[in-house]
Amino acid sequence: MFMGEYQHSIDDKGRLIIPAKLRDSLGSTFILTRGLDQCLFVYPMEEWGLLEQKLKALPLMKADARAFTRFFFSGATECEWDKQGRINIPAHLRQHAKLDKECMIIGVQSRVEIWSKDAWEQYMQQSASTFEEIAETLVDFDF
């Protein structure tokens, strides 16, 4: 399970250090793709396989299913670590998430998310007031 929030800088070549706590669970190769909410999703290979099976089950005759599958898979790339524990984020994915300098790396259960620091702060600020309301409608247990 991935959890935590980390801040790192991306360099001019698109290389980003991923914290060791998250690297260990991602494995030696993993998938990086466009995410929702203007971030990137990073999946361990096993989790990517499970997601792939779910997306294969979507009805091909529905335009929304085709569009989402295209969005998700066309941006996907297989990654591995360099000797410094960095990944190289391709330009099209940096553009999608508007990654410039400061990045936030977020552990979210079965995946890691990469956000621009500004987008993450804006998301947290906008969402903070609704977290309790969301929890009331989604969660069936007490914390």
Side-chain angles (χ1 to χ4, degrees):
M1 177 175 71
F2 298 102
M3 60 184 174
E5 180 178 312
Y6 309 88
Q7 183 176 337
H8 286 277
S9 297
I10 191 168
D11 70 14
D12 294 337
K13 296 180 181 178
R15 297 175 300 195
L16 178 67
I17 292 174
I18 303 294
K21 288 180 180 183
L22 302 177
R23 269 196 316 260
D24 294 342
S25 297
L26 282 169
S28 59
T29 59
F30 49 92
I31 302 295
L32 174 68
T33 192
R34 289 183 195 104
L36 305 174
D37 301 314
Q38 200 176 11
C39 71
L40 302 178
F41 288 170
V42 187
Y43 290 98
M45 294 305 274
E46 182 178 336
E47 197 64 38
W48 179 256
L50 296 173
L51 181 61
E52 182 181 9
Q53 293 304 313
K54 289 177 184 176
L55 292 175
K56 275 185 185 178
L58 293 175
L60 182 62
M61 302 314 269
K62 293 205 179 247
D64 288 348
R66 292 191 309 274
F68 183 75
T69 303
R70 284 184 195 117
F71 168 83
F72 215 61
F73 281 94
S74 67
T77 186
E78 189 172 320
C79 295
E80 50 189 41
W81 309 109
D82 71 7
K83 292 176 184 172
Q84 286 78 38
R86 299 176 298 190
I87 60 172
N88 189 6
I89 301 174
H92 71 283
L93 294 177
R94 290 194 312 265
Q95 289 171 352
H96 168 77
K98 295 185 173 38
L99 301 179
D100 185 25
K101 188 70 177 159
E102 295 301 314
C103 298
M104 298 301 296
I105 301 146
I106 313 298
V108 186
Q109 289 184 323
S110 62
R111 72 179 177 273
V112 172
E113 295 181 355
I114 301 172
W115 292 72
S116 78
K117 184 178 182 220
D118 291 342
W120 175 248
E121 289 175 350
Q122 183 178 6
Y123 173 81
M124 290 299 288
Q125 194 171 41
Q126 290 173 347
S127 301
S129 63
T130 61
F131 283 143
E132 289 179 20
E133 294 170 19
I134 293 169
E136 286 180 14
T137 61
L138 294 179
V139 181
D140 233 4
F141 58 89
D142 291 324
F143 285 95

